[in-house]
């Protein structure tokens, strides 16, 4: 067996193992999703000290108390959006920009909103440097969606919400898909919803645990009550 002789090759080997073992074997069957995750260099999206763990089966810290989601979660959420390549997608919670990069390979355009300005700037710079030119990152409260570029064919919320933020439904096109973790701050269900006849129809995919969606239609603070119930 040949040994990888560059750092990039070592990461490529780890990435292939990640896609086969953590994603393919756990029910993510979409060839396009698997191909996109084989292509995006996840190690470029994590802080240098966590790079050796970039392809491990877990979320990792990215600063500001936030995390890059576990690879399997990125695969599952992406698959649930059922993208064909022509869509305009809204992501709430840019974080490192990794999920946005995966989406950008599967859709026409990705609009992503992040509330931490430092993460917004770092993600946009990283995505531009890596050549993901169809991703546009904005700073703001994504629990309000992003009305300027609505409607969207698909919406992915990468933070835990107490309920489906009501404005997101209005920004989703008829027939569009919305994937979102909904529940308490401790645990949630990942919902796949579809807009049919003007209303959202949801089904629960599995239990999950995300960092909280803060803001108007999220929580007021980590470990606090939903903003709307105060
Ligand atoms: N998709 C990211 C991981 C997201 S972690 C990645 O691939 O790296 C969830 C992110 O949601 C965090 O960065 C957090 O700051 C952000 N967030 C929380 N509440 C938000 C809100 N109301 N609007 C926008 N972003 C929010």
């Amino acid at each position: 067996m040949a040994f990888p002789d560059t750092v990039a090759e070592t990461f490529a080997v780890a990435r292939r193992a990640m896609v086969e073992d953590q994603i393919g074997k756990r029910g993510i069957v979409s060839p396009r999703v698997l191909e996109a995750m084989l292509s995006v260099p996840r190690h470029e999206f994590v802080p240098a000290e966590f790079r050796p763990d970039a392809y491990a089966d877990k979320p990792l810290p990215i600063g500001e108390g936030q995390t890059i989601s576990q690879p399997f979660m990125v695969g599952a959420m992406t698959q649930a959006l059922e993208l064909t390549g022509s869509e305009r997608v809204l992501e709430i919670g840019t974080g490192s920009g990794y999920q946005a990069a995966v989406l950008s390979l599967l859709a026409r355009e990705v609009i992503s909103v992040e509330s931490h300005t430092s993460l917004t700037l770092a993600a946009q710079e990283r995505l531009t440097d890596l050549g993901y030119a169809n991703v546009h990152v904005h700073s703001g409260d994504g629990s309000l969606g992003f009305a300027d570029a609505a409607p969207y064919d698909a919406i992915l919320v990468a933070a835990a919400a107490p309920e489906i933020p009501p404005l997101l439904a209005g920004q989703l096109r008829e027939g569009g898909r919305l994937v979102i973790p909904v529940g308490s701050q401790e645990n949630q269900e990942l919902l796949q919803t579809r807009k049919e006849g003007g209303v959202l129809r949801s089904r629960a995919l599995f239990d999950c645990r995300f960092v909280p969606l803060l803001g108007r239609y999220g929580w007021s603070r980590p470990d606090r009550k939903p903003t709307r119930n105060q």
Side-chain angles (χ1 to χ4, degrees), residues 54 75 84-85 87 143 151 158 161 163 180 182 190 193 209:
T84 63
E87 296 84 357
S143 79
E163 60 180 346
I180 180 171
V182 172
L190 187 67
T193 83
R209 183 169 184 163

Side-chain angles (χ1 to χ4, degrees), residues 2-80:
F3 287 102
D5 59 358
T6 67
V7 173
E9 268 182 66
T10 306
F11 281 130
V13 169
R15 189 156 60 245
R16 179 162 294 280
M18 172 192 86
V19 169
E20 287 174 4
D21 300 339
Q22 300 172 35
I23 303 179
K25 285 185 188 160
R26 291 191 196 146
I28 309 304
V29 293
S30 160
R32 296 183 71 238
V33 173
L34 297 176
E35 203 180 309
M37 293 190 70
L38 258 186
S39 150
V40 178
R42 184 171 161 96
H43 61 278
E44 300 281 4
F45 292 82
V46 304
E49 68 263 39
F50 296 113
R51 234 159 247 171
D53 265 354
Y55 296 96
D57 188 15
K58 56 186 180 186
L60 293 170
I62 55 170
E64 306 287 1
Q66 306 303 323
T67 55
I68 178 173
S69 305
Q70 179 193 18
F72 170 74
M73 201 57 73
V74 172
M77 292 207 289
T78 306
Q79 177 168 273

Side-chain angles (χ1 to χ4, degrees), residues 42 45 60 62-69 74 77 91-101 112-116 119 126 138-144 156-160 210-219:
R42 184 171 161 96
F45 292 82
L60 293 170
I62 55 170
E64 306 287 1
Q66 306 303 323
T67 55
I68 178 173
S69 305
V74 172
M77 292 207 289
E91 180 196 24
I92 310 300
T94 317
S96 68
Y98 173 71
Q99 171 78 73
S112 188
V113 183
E114 169 58 50
S115 51
H116 281 99
L119 295 178
R126 181 178 297 127
H138 298 273
S139 211
D141 177 5
S143 79
L144 304 169
L156 186 157
V157 181
F210 281 76
V211 295
L213 179 77
L214 304 179
R216 178 71 182 86
Y217 294 104
W219 276 281

Side-chain angles (χ1 to χ4, degrees), residues 89-127:
V89 182
L90 174 66
E91 180 196 24
I92 310 300
T94 317
S96 68
Y98 173 71
Q99 171 78 73
V102 172
L103 293 173
S104 80
L105 298 178
L106 298 167
R108 179 159 58 91
E109 187 182 9
V110 179
I111 316 289
S112 188
V113 183
E114 169 58 50
S115 51
H116 281 99
T117 311
S118 61
L119 295 178
T120 309
L121 297 175
Q124 181 68 79
E125 190 181 336
R126 181 178 297 127
L127 288 161

